[in-house]
Amino acid sequence: MMSLVAIDLGKRVSGYARFRRSRLVYATEVLSRPTAAAMARALVITDCGTGLPWYAEKMTDYAAKGGRSGDLEQLREIARCIEGHGVDLRLVRAHSWKGSIPKSVERSRVLAELDEEEHMAILDLGKESVSAIGIGLVLTGRLGRGLVSR
C-alpha cells in the first residue's frame, strides 16, 4: 500500500491529491499565485510536511500538447520552487499513466474508481484535481495505464 502526493501543475490552477495507503484522503486545486515561488509554497503548505513522495506530469508532455514555451518555463519554475522546499518531486510521463484518452473519459474513469468516502475528500472537482487523482490512482496500482480497472 502506497502513500504519495500527486499534482497536476497548471499555469492558472494546479491540482493536488494526497493518498494514504492507496486511498484518496484529500484533493483540491490551488489557484495561481503572483509568482512561481508563491504557487509552490501554497502547494507545499497544503501537504503540511508529511514527507511523502510527490509526483507530477513531466513538463515536456505539456509542450507536446501545444503549450507555449513561456508556459512551459513557468511550470518548470514552479517545480523547481517545490523542490526548493525539500520535496522530492518525481516526474511521470502523461502517456505512462493516462495513455491518450480524452479529458472526458479520464474524468469518468477516475471518479468511477473512488468510493463515497473518497468522493467526500475532494474539495474542488476541476480538471486539474481530477488529473492529480488519476496520477495517484495509477501510481498506487488501483488503476492501470489508460485509467483502466485492474
Side-chain angles (χ1 to χ4, degrees):
M1 299 221 164
M2 190 173 187
S3 298
L4 59 87
V5 171
I7 56 174
D8 182 31
L9 293 175
K11 193 176 98 161
R12 294 177 186 87
V13 176
S14 289
Y16 170 94
R18 184 183 323 149
F19 288 79
R20 185 180 313 126
R21 293 186 294 278
S22 302
R23 294 195 38 82
L24 178 67
V25 294
Y26 182 74
T28 193
E29 291 188 340
V30 177
L31 296 176
S32 64
R33 303 288 190 244
T35 66
M39 168 79 95
R41 194 167 39 258
L43 286 165
V44 173
I45 287 170
T46 302
D47 190 54
C48 301
T50 60
L52 298 175
W54 283 48
Y55 294 88
E57 193 171 286
K58 198 168 193 160
M59 300 344 157
T60 53
D61 293 344
Y62 179 81
K65 294 183 217 172
R68 296 187 316 241
S69 62
D71 297 344
L72 177 61
E73 187 51 42
Q74 183 180 0
L75 296 177
R76 285 184 176 145
E77 179 63 21
I78 294 169
R80 282 192 293 272
C81 291
I82 288 171
E83 290 173 327
H85 285 278
V87 170
D88 178 20
L89 183 62
R90 304 166 192 185
L91 302 178
V92 295
R93 296 200 52 103
H95 194 71
S96 71
W97 71 271
K98 73 175 178 179
S100 58
I101 61 172
K103 282 280 187 190
S104 59
V105 174
E106 173 190 341
R107 182 180 181 88
S108 64
R109 289 182 183 174
V110 165
L111 296 179
E113 178 62 23
L114 303 177
D115 63 27
E116 186 177 336
E117 185 178 325
E118 289 174 307
H119 275 278
M120 298 298 289
I122 303 171
L123 266 52
D124 298 299
L125 191 57
K127 65 181 183 177
E128 284 79 10
S129 62
V130 170
S131 290
I133 295 166
I135 291 168
L137 289 171
V138 171
L139 292 173
T140 59
R142 289 179 54 186
L143 288 176
R145 184 178 156 271
L147 302 170
V148 295
S149 296
R150 291 198 174 235

